[in-house]
Amino acid sequence: MNHLLMRFLCSILLGAVTAAPLCAQITPAWTRKLSPEKWKQVVKATPFQHAGNTKFINLSRRVMYPAKPISTARKYIYHNVHFKQIFSKQEANVLLAEAAPQVTLGKILFLHNQHAAFYNQLIQQHPDAIDSKAFELHQQTLKEMLVRLEDYYAPMQQKLFSSQVFSPQQIAQLQTAPSQPRAYAFGTNSFVQFARLPSLGAQQNWVERSINTLQWDQNVLLKRPLDQISPQQFKNYYLNQIRLDYLTQLSKVLAKSNTKRLSLIMRFKDHFLSQTELLTDAQRAGKTLFETNTFGFSYPSKSWQLQFEKTYGPYAVAEALNLPYEFVLKHGMYNPELLSDGKYLRALEPRACLQQVQPRIRNLESELNHMHIQDPTGNDFYVQYFRLYAQLQIYKGLEAQSLFFIHNER
């Protein structure tokens, strides 16, 4: 009798152990009122084309949080997964599995966006099954994890994203400028293809087709069960979402344009020093130079020069000289290749080069001096001012090179 009673009690206990975690295994804390079967039905029926009122994470620009040190990525993830009690066992297993940086970021982004779509589905069909506070904690935790880990992985990302267009150093600069889009997520071929398109309409069609293809791929992946997604697919989800969000923003820019763009790379206006006015890169550069009285009409202060070149210099030069951004990023800020006669001048013998560039230098210095005594007539004034300055630096570079060779002649 005691033996039968013990077997009966064990069966009840085992039932409790297996039944309770069954829901917790696939159902997150924000909707544990649903049975596992009901949750599976919701997941299967959820549309992913639109996020609804609860939005997906937008990766067109980086979000910056106050810095908090992370000892290791695994410890940080473990802390969030185990101590907050907001993830299902299935989610926890996925997040805790060892993975490469972009795979880990893809998992976090995927879970956030997938659950945003689940929430939008449930709020219409089963609003009583939702714990809104738990959902907000679930999503906010994933958002913060993504931001913190993107910062933690930043040095590795610089190498992973580097290309013929963006060097690791240029990517590092963009990572510290959250106001600028992440153009470095595209491969070199994308920049070449876009620049070769013959018209604004062709560029708009290219962007629209790319958006539709990326959106389709992302939606197909979001519909897959969590345990059937490979590390490579998580990585693709992360990379494609950056590209999708970027192209969506570019589509809006093209809709307001009258002519084709020179480059796939976008740059957004930024504040000039502490002023509220937003200016382009060349406008900010020109205004800074114009308002600085200590640079002697040719070179500004060394500190400004270093900061400028480190942050937005190549983009300002490209804008001022009306060149594709990637061309300046590839050749350098003051490379003779940036001017129509630069390649020709560089090929000349040193003395012949001096004869050509020194009159140009005098003319440019005269124009800058003349502009410096004028009252600015608008922001285009600053672009013209910086255009003259950039040309002057290129010719001065050729002059210095020629003088060096002449001085070292035997």
Side-chain angles (χ1 to χ4, degrees):
M1 184 69 178
N2 288 340
H3 178 67
L4 291 173
L5 181 61
M6 286 295 295
R7 289 186 62 185
F8 175 72
L9 290 173
C10 284
S11 66
I12 293 176
L13 288 170
L14 285 172
V17 169
T18 56
L22 182 61
C23 184
Q25 184 177 4
I26 64 170
T27 312
W30 63 269
T31 181
R32 291 229 170 109
K33 293 179 182 178
L34 289 180
S35 67
E37 286 306 316
K38 194 64 181 177
W39 171 251
K40 289 178 183 178
Q41 291 173 19
V42 170
V43 169
K44 192 174 182 179
T46 297
F48 293 97
Q49 285 78 7
H50 303 286
N53 292 330
T54 303
K55 304 297 183 183
F56 289 3
I57 291 178
N58 189 313
L59 293 180
S60 60
R61 308 192 207 185
R62 292 189 70 233
V63 176
M64 304 292 280
Y65 283 169
K68 289 182 182 178
I70 295 176
S71 57
T72 69
R74 183 162 179 78
K75 286 181 181 178
Y76 175 72
I77 295 170
Y78 184 89
H79 172 82
N80 281 280
V81 167
H82 278 283
F83 291 104
K84 292 191 177 179
Q85 298 290 307
I86 55 173
F87 298 110
S88 68
K89 184 177 179 182
Q90 186 183 50
E91 289 177 282
N93 289 340
V94 168
L95 289 170
L96 287 170
E98 288 283 358
Q102 292 176 339
V103 176
T104 298
L105 295 172
K107 292 176 182 179
I108 295 168
L109 180 67
F110 181 92
L111 284 172
H112 178 281
N113 291 351
Q114 194 180 56
H115 279 257
F118 293 158
Y119 180 92
N120 291 325
Q121 180 82 352
L122 275 170
I123 200 70
Q124 299 176 31
Q125 299 180 359
H126 306 284
D128 55 328
I130 293 174
D131 182 337
S132 294
K133 287 186 178 180
F135 174 76
E136 289 172 7
L137 180 60
H138 182 275
Q139 299 298 87
Q140 186 57 37
T141 299
L142 289 169
K143 275 184 186 177
E144 186 163 341
M145 286 174 68
L146 185 71
V147 173
R148 301 273 183 227
L149 287 171
E150 277 195 323
D151 285 342
Y152 179 81
Y153 290 136
M156 287 172 269
Q157 292 271 63
Q158 292 158 19
K159 295 179 181 179
L160 292 170
F161 278 119
S162 64
S163 66
Q164 294 178 11
V165 175
F166 285 99
S167 68
Q169 293 76 23
Q170 290 156 352
I171 294 170
Q173 180 273 316
L174 281 174
Q175 287 175 331
T176 61
S179 62
Q180 300 301 339
R182 304 195 233 191
Y184 54 78
F186 291 89
T188 304
N189 287 341
S190 295
F191 295 107
V192 173
Q193 289 174 17
F194 186 84
R196 287 178 178 172
L197 294 170
S199 65
L200 173 62
Q203 290 180 336
Q204 289 171 325
N205 290 336
W206 185 89
V207 169
E208 197 61 35
R209 288 196 305 271
S210 300
I211 288 174
N212 290 337
T213 299
L214 288 168
Q215 188 69 70
W216 173 267
D217 291 343
Q218 296 296 79
N219 290 338
V220 167
L221 199 58
L222 283 170
K223 289 178 182 178
R224 299 194 66 173
L226 193 56
D227 58 356
Q228 294 181 22
I229 302 174
S230 69
Q232 183 62 44
Q233 287 171 323
F234 279 124
K235 176 183 176 180
N236 290 343
Y237 186 82
Y238 172 68
L239 299 179
N240 285 341
Q241 194 63 44
I242 297 177
R243 295 164 185 153
L244 177 59
D245 291 338
Y246 184 96
L247 291 173
T248 300
Q249 183 65 50
L250 178 58
S251 178
K252 296 175 184 177
V253 171
L254 290 172
K256 299 177 183 178
S257 301
N258 297 317
T259 57
K260 65 167 282 189
R261 288 182 59 84
L262 292 174
S263 174
L264 178 65
I265 299 172
M266 285 187 296
R267 293 287 294 179
F268 292 159
K269 293 181 179 181
D270 206 347
H271 294 284
F272 175 70
L273 300 178
S274 60
Q275 298 177 13
T276 56
E277 185 181 17
L278 294 172
L279 300 177
T280 67
D281 295 309
Q283 288 169 354
R284 282 185 290 141
K287 191 169 185 177
T288 302
L289 286 170
F290 182 79
E291 294 184 354
T292 300
N293 296 318
T294 59
F295 64 91
F297 307 116
S298 59
Y299 284 100
S301 67
K302 194 67 176 177
S303 61
W304 180 87
Q305 185 77 11
L306 291 172
Q307 181 65 15
F308 165 74
E309 292 182 2
K310 181 181 177 182
T311 53
Y312 62 98
Y315 306 101
V317 171
E319 179 192 341
L321 299 180
N322 199 33
L323 295 169
Y325 290 121
E326 55 265 33
F327 189 78
V328 181
L329 289 170
K330 177 182 177 181
H331 290 283
M333 281 175 55
Y334 301 129
N335 191 302
E337 298 278 344
L338 306 186
L339 298 181
S340 58
D341 60 351
K343 191 174 182 180
Y344 157 76
L345 291 170
R346 189 166 58 180
L348 294 174
E349 293 293 326
R351 283 181 171 78
C353 183
L354 270 185
Q355 290 177 354
Q356 294 280 337
V357 301
Q358 285 183 330
R360 290 172 170 82
I361 290 172
R362 288 193 294 270
N363 288 337
L364 287 167
E365 287 178 335
S366 177
E367 288 187 69
L368 282 168
N369 285 333
H370 179 69
M371 287 191 75
H372 201 261
I373 61 175
Q374 296 178 8
D375 292 327
T377 54
N379 290 330
D380 287 344
F381 175 92
Y382 298 120
V383 176
Q384 171 62 11
Y385 191 84
F386 182 69
R387 183 181 301 118
L388 296 174
Y389 171 82
Q391 291 171 339
L392 179 62
Q393 304 321 302
I394 296 172
Y395 288 128
K396 276 184 168 290
L398 286 167
E399 179 188 45
Q401 180 179 298
S402 298
L403 289 171
F404 173 82
F405 286 127
I406 291 171
H407 179 74
N408 287 280
E409 285 180 352
R410 292 184 179 180

